[in-house]
Amino acid sequence: MADDILHPETLALHGGHRFDPQTGAVAVPIYQTTSYQFRDTEHAANLFALKELGNIYTRIMNPTTDVLEKRLAAMEGGAAGLGTASGQSAATLCILNLCQAGDNFVSSTDLYGGTWNLFANTLTAMGIECRFVDPTDPENFRRATDARTRCFFAETLPNPKLNVFPIREVADIGRGLDLPLIVDNTAAPVICRPLEHGAAVVMYSTTKYIGGHGTSIGGMIVDGGNFDWEACGHRFPTLNQPDPSYHGAVWTEAVKPLGPIAFAIRARVTLLRDVGAAMSPFNAFMFLQGLETLPLRMRAHCANAAAVAAFLAGHPKVGRVIFPGLQGGEMRRRADAYLDGGYGALMGFELKDGMEAGKRFIDALKLFYHVANIGDARSLAIHPATTTHSQLSENERKATGVSDGYVRLSIGIEHPDDLLADLAQALDAA
Ligand code: PLP
């Protein structure tokens, strides 16, 4: 059956691969190879000239990673995927694919700290300016745009505030200005499909829910195939002007026989080639294992998180619970508009007794792991004021939404009664 008529749950198991043509193996084999034998010189020349798509060298593509790319792209409703070494490299390649020195892009301020650093420091030092805007008002994206703006960037469900991003509103503003919206959907796979809401590119840290078991670092870019880079040519010289690094190829022209995948192809054959942030085939195999149960796990994550949020909201030592399912007003409207099947599994809560209570709570946990990660099958907790956000000044930290007693939870798929019991005894000790 064609991939485009199957549901994400089915695609997670069948997308992009039926069996290995050489051996009949049903599980996707790990092609742990650097290079590939060319049939003859014409074959080799065709591959290098992109007249034929095929394996040359694993830094650029690999058959195991290829199945993961096809599978995730199909699940998102996109045109092509590109595996990367990490979520950080996926974000880096997304921006470098459109921006050159002197250009700028507009990003939501609500970002994972690593991405914020990449945008505020590393890319800035390369001459690419990130204009941070508050996503509470989507019009802020328009206000920050000028002739050198190349894209908008945001996360679907950014912690610690967990305000769902107004994807459709900002994507529409972008499309009116000939600009694509790139969405980091790491915290909301399956429950949010950003391409359906107008995003042009989706990216993931596959390290989190997609891998799901806390074993491997990786990233993925999905080219939605729904943005006309050629019609908006004035915005995108990297895709519409001859590329000196590839015999003067014009990417929007060169990919025409292959489909609407100019963004993914350029990122692969120039940026992965040059930067080298490729996913390892072994990690691609691990992510394929994770992907098979991702829809099931997301349902369990979301159900457990809803139970934990309700428990915390009624606890006398808890001042406030930060969870999309407990919000009201515009933020709740956004959560209901963009999340389907649950409100995710990240949450925060504030202990009334502040910093010391936060430390005591974390030290008393028996089941929850105390780690700087999210999206594991196991439940995880961290006290940001003494860890991830401890380098910020008190005012900066509070502006990000991290108060002294703030605790972040990433709810796993254990039995909910066991999670509530662990939280109850840790709250007693807090
Ligand atoms: N995006 C989000 C939302 C994240 O939470 C993270 C990591 O925590 C990243 C990107 C970076 O991913 P990685 O750690 O795989 O580089």
Side-chain angles (χ1 to χ4, degrees):
M1 274 197 282
D3 280 359
D4 56 359
I5 59 166
L6 297 173
H7 296 86
E9 289 82 350
T10 311
L11 290 168
L13 292 150
H14 295 274
H17 173 87
R18 184 71 192 156
F19 56 85
D20 178 49
Q22 289 255 300
T23 62
V26 170
V28 180
I30 305 174
Y31 287 98
Q32 193 72 28
T33 182
T34 55
S35 37
Y36 307 84
Q37 167 78 4
F38 304 123
R39 287 195 302 275
D40 51 34
T41 48
E42 190 189 348
H43 178 223
N46 282 345
L47 290 177
F48 276 90
L50 292 180
K51 285 188 187 146
E52 202 179 315
L53 267 192
N55 299 310
I56 297 175
Y57 191 58
T58 282
R59 171 152 38 82
I60 301 164
M61 75 189 275
N62 171 277
T64 311
T65 312
D66 180 54
V67 176
L68 178 70
E69 291 165 343
K70 289 200 164 84
R71 199 162 276 188
L72 205 46
M75 287 174 72
E76 290 295 328
L82 180 65
T84 60
S86 62
Q88 284 301 104
S89 49
T92 307
L93 297 197
C94 280
I95 302 301
L96 293 184
N97 211 24
L98 300 175
C99 296
Q100 296 170 303
D103 293 339
N104 67 72
F105 64 106
V106 185
S107 171
S108 166
T109 41
D110 292 352
L111 288 179
Y112 162 62
T115 311
W116 190 88
N117 246 325
L118 168 69
F119 289 179
N121 297 308
T122 302
L123 291 181
T124 305
M126 294 165 66
I128 297 171
E129 181 197 355
C130 178
R131 300 178 171 183
F132 290 104
V133 297
D134 180 351
T136 313
D137 180 1
E139 286 295 325
N140 286 338
F141 281 79
R142 188 196 307 280
R143 289 181 198 113
T145 296
D146 68 13
R148 294 295 296 268
T149 305
R150 302 285 176 246
C151 61
F152 294 163
F153 187 97
E155 286 178 24
T156 307
L157 186 55
N159 73 79
K161 290 183 190 157
L162 297 173
N163 289 332
V164 172
F165 184 76
I167 302 176
R168 168 62 66 189
E169 292 87 332
V170 175
D172 283 352
I173 292 170
R175 283 176 189 267
L177 297 165
D178 294 343
L179 290 170
L181 171 64
I182 301 171
V183 173
D184 179 343
N185 200 39
T186 298
V190 183
I191 58 171
C192 180
R193 289 161 56 85
L195 299 178
E196 287 181 354
H197 302 295
V201 176
V202 177
M203 61 142 283
Y204 284 100
S205 163
T206 52
T207 314
K208 316 295 178 190
Y209 292 101
I210 289 172
H213 299 87
T215 63
S216 317
I217 302 276
M220 180 67 65
I221 299 169
V222 176
D223 181 341
N226 62 9
F227 194 88
D228 194 341
W229 306 101
E230 199 175 11
C232 312
H234 65 108
R235 287 278 188 200
F236 309 113
T238 58
L239 297 177
N240 288 291
Q241 287 177 9
D243 186 337
S245 86
Y246 221 101
H247 322 299
V250 175
W251 293 112
T252 48
E253 281 292 326
V255 301
K256 278 194 177 141
L258 307 171
I261 57 171
F263 186 88
I265 284 280
R266 184 195 185 254
R268 181 187 295 283
V269 303
T270 69
L271 293 177
L272 262 195
R273 177 198 63 187
D274 298 351
V275 177
M279 179 180 281
S280 93
F282 181 77
N283 283 1
F285 174 82
M286 297 302 280
F287 296 131
L288 283 164
Q289 307 315 299
L291 209 55
E292 293 193 354
T293 56
L294 178 68
L296 266 183
R297 281 187 286 108
M298 286 311 290
R299 278 204 283 279
H301 278 293
C302 290
N304 277 358
V308 168
F311 165 77
L312 291 173
H315 197 282
K317 288 196 176 176
V318 174
R320 194 161 74 98
V321 181
I322 298 98
F323 181 63
L326 293 182
Q327 286 171 322
E330 171 61 12
M331 292 309 152
R332 177 56 177 271
R333 189 202 63 76
R334 290 181 186 175
D336 287 333
Y338 297 115
L339 304 182
D340 185 14
Y343 293 103
L346 301 179
M347 80 184 62
F349 68 95
E350 287 176 350
L351 283 159
K352 287 180 186 162
D353 290 343
M355 187 77 81
E356 292 308 312
K359 290 192 215 165
R360 286 195 298 271
F361 171 83
I362 293 284
D363 285 335
L365 287 168
K366 295 194 170 111
L367 208 52
F368 279 70
Y369 284 88
H370 179 204
V371 295
N373 192 23
I374 58 165
D376 196 302
R378 303 158 192 84
S379 289
L380 316 173
I382 197 157
H383 180 229
T386 49
T387 55
T388 51
H389 289 59
S390 58
Q391 271 97 45
L392 300 180
S393 71
E394 193 177 334
N395 283 345
E396 282 171 339
R397 170 165 62 74
K398 288 187 173 156
T400 70
V402 172
S403 60
D404 292 350
Y406 184 102
V407 175
R408 183 183 80 195
L409 301 178
S410 170
I411 303 299
I413 59 172
E414 300 92 341
H415 194 287
D417 293 351
D418 298 334
L419 295 180
L420 299 189
D422 194 32
L423 293 170
Q425 66 81 25
L427 282 166
D428 285 346

